[in-house]
Amino acid sequence: MEGKDLRVRRAVESLQEYVPVHPLEEIGAELGIPVERLVKLDANENPYGCSAVVRDAIACCASYHLYPDPEQRRLRAALARYAGFPEDWLLAGAGSDELIDLLIRLVVEPEDRVLDAVPTFGMYSFLTPIQGGQVVSVPRRPDFSLDIPALLAAIDERTKIIFVASPNNPSGNLAGREQILALVETDLLVVVDEAYWEFSQESVADLVATHENLVVMRTFSKWAGLAGLRVGYLIAAPSLLQHLWKIKQPYNVNTAAQVAARAAIADLEHIQQTVARILAERTRLLEMLARIPFLQPYPTRANFILCRVEGRSARELRDALRRRGVLIRYFDTPLLQNCVRVSVGRAEDTDRLREELLALA
Ligand SMILES: Cc1ncc(COP(=O)(O)O)c(C=O)c1O
């Protein structure tokens, strides 16, 4: 069909599509492998799923015919207990992806600039041009640490936001507290994306209390097993949040998601046990990967491990593992040459990955 002249905005016409992960059923059908034989290590999800308490809470909720609470009162009360910040310092979103979008929409005018430190999570550079902004990507150092002098030098009068993921995806390393403070001192909006905080247990959230231009973002997608329900939250000063409340869609976090996130906080001990299992498995996975002759794993503070692939193509390795039913991510960009990223799964997932890697050696 020929496209009608709908006058799509130029920023959208030239947009690079985001490459998302696809449903297991679709991949299983394409590969001719039953879904239960697939090992999903490509999106840093919690392989234990959500807890029985969360599933029951979702099943028992009787108000799906009503709109969700636009002010997320009960969810924010639970988040206040969990995150240790008052409710008026918290706002929930449909995943942290929505919160990234909201923050960009809050401050970016056409031609404004957004800084990120690459390689990093792709959503910052995906969402900025939709708003008409321009991403300025500052390379990290060879060990993936932030290059603070280069970030500071990249700031100009059109710079509006600096995004830093800590731990960073896909490299797994943390940003230093002093480094974040150096960025905050610029008075620009600094967003620290702590999507993997539960695995690193290191945060700069306490600095939000004294720095109005600092925002910390978190998510229920990784540690709490709720990626499919889309719940994230941010911690920010009420003076900044008041404006985000004005632009967020009223019913952005649906009822099932709000119920599930509250239940996850109520069932904290159980979920923290799965996090502890993932952390224990991370050590085992790292040791296993280090013994594979063609892989060089990097240290990590998150629930995934980045590996440099040596002497063969990372893409072909990803493809070969995929054909065998093991799903991982690969990267081959100038700053991240010939690498794969493996999420930490269950012990049986590590065993299966090992088996398939050895078969491909
Ligand atoms: C650094 C980082 N931030 C945010 C997200 C997205 O989280 P959510 O599922 O809450 O949108 C991801 C997911 O991969 C991530 O790696």
Side-chain angles (χ1 to χ4, degrees), residues 95-97 100 121 124 165 169 193 195-196 219 221-222 230-232:
S96 27
D97 287 351
I100 297 167
F121 182 49
Y124 321 127
N169 176 9
D193 182 347
Y196 301 96
T219 179
S221 295
K222 310 299 180 181
R230 318 299 301 124
V231 191

Side-chain angles (χ1 to χ4, degrees), residues 235-256:
I235 307 169
S239 54
L240 182 95
L241 276 190
Q242 60 170 326
H243 300 295
L244 283 172
W245 281 107
K246 287 189 273 189
I247 63 169
K248 94 163 178 67
Q249 290 202 26
Y251 309 114
N252 62 330
V253 184
N254 72 61
T255 301

Side-chain angles (χ1 to χ4, degrees), residues 43-55:
N44 310 334
E45 295 136 334
N46 183 329
Y48 298 100
C50 66
S51 70
V53 170
V54 172
R55 270 198 302 275

Side-chain angles (χ1 to χ4, degrees), residues 143-156:
D143 64 355
F144 300 118
S145 60
L146 295 175
D147 186 341
I148 295 293
L151 278 161
L152 295 178
I155 293 170
D156 66 15

